[in-house]
Amino acid sequence: MQNSATLIDTVFAGKGSRSLLRDAAIALAATGLLTLSAKVQVPFYPVPMTMQSLVVLVIGAAFGWRLGVATVMLYLLEGLAGLPVFANTPEKGVGLAYMMGPTGGYLIGFVAAAFVTGFLAERGWTKSVLGSLAAMAIGHAVIFLFGFAWLAVLMGAGKAYLFGVAPFYAATLFKTLLGAALLPAAWRVVEYLRRA
């Protein structure tokens, strides 16, 4: 399937060529959004949720895989440098010590998920609800794959599933459905504004 323009490129179409400065500004702003999504906890059953995985996937889908991965990598570099950008930082540590802890696999999974959703978005998947649903589901599965694998190394597969996967089914379903609705809606708004 041939490549499709990303949402961010469509927004900026006709406003000058893509530039490193523009992409850097977009990525930096998006890391702020990632930080905010990690810090805000939404009451949910059985555990409170953050919106971070949704924001990671939307960044990948809206930016495409190259800028999406670069944005998530910049976010991880901010965390590695000791900035309190992750959930529960600085209370539970910062920098490499935090990244090597229980959430380390999920953080690496964010990079892989941004790649996957960005790759699928560049092939037009996020322009429809069903395509977006599939992209969001695959992206969340990638995050859990990395998170589970790392937790399994730290505490064994049984505990990794019990503490790192099972409590998050409902929240993940909610965020997957929300992403599946948001992305096609964003495309419709952008295309409407371009025609206006």
Side-chain angles (χ1 to χ4, degrees):
M1 187 181 287
Q2 115 182 30
N3 278 12
S4 176
T6 63
L7 187 58
I8 200 77
D9 285 335
T10 304
V11 167
F12 285 102
K15 296 179 179 151
S17 63
R18 185 172 192 160
S19 71
L20 185 59
L21 184 60
R22 184 202 87 174
D23 286 353
I26 290 168
L28 190 58
T31 64
L33 185 59
L34 272 170
T35 300
L36 182 63
S37 71
K39 299 294 185 181
V40 176
Q41 292 203 344
V42 179
F44 207 80
Y45 177 83
V47 293
M49 70 173 172
T50 70
M51 299 304 280
Q52 193 170 29
S53 63
L54 174 65
V55 172
V56 165
L57 299 180
V58 168
I59 284 171
F63 293 4
W65 75 264
R66 290 169 191 83
L67 183 55
V69 166
T71 299
V72 176
M73 291 293 292
L74 177 60
Y75 171 71
L76 295 183
L77 286 172
E78 290 170 354
L80 184 62
L83 297 176
V85 296
F86 302 133
N88 301 314
T89 58
E91 302 84 11
K92 293 196 175 179
V94 293
L96 186 60
Y98 180 91
M99 295 175 79
M100 294 301 291
T103 60
Y106 297 100
L107 296 175
I108 298 304
F110 288 169
V111 177
F115 171 82
V116 170
T117 54
F119 181 83
L120 295 175
E122 288 177 9
R123 278 138 190 86
W125 283 42
T126 58
K127 291 184 177 184
S128 71
V129 172
L130 284 179
S132 292
L133 182 64
M136 293 292 108
I138 292 167
H140 273 116
V142 167
I143 292 170
F144 275 108
L145 178 68
F146 279 85
F148 171 78
W150 179 244
L151 281 176
V153 168
L154 295 179
M155 61 178 66
K159 284 186 178 178
Y161 176 79
L162 187 62
F163 295 110
V165 178
F168 303 104
Y169 281 134
T172 301
L173 176 61
F174 173 78
K175 289 185 276 188
T176 298
L177 293 173
L178 183 58
L182 284 174
L183 289 164
W187 270 109
R188 282 195 290 278
V189 168
V190 167
E191 288 167 353
Y192 172 79
L193 291 174
R194 288 192 68 205
R195 287 193 303 268

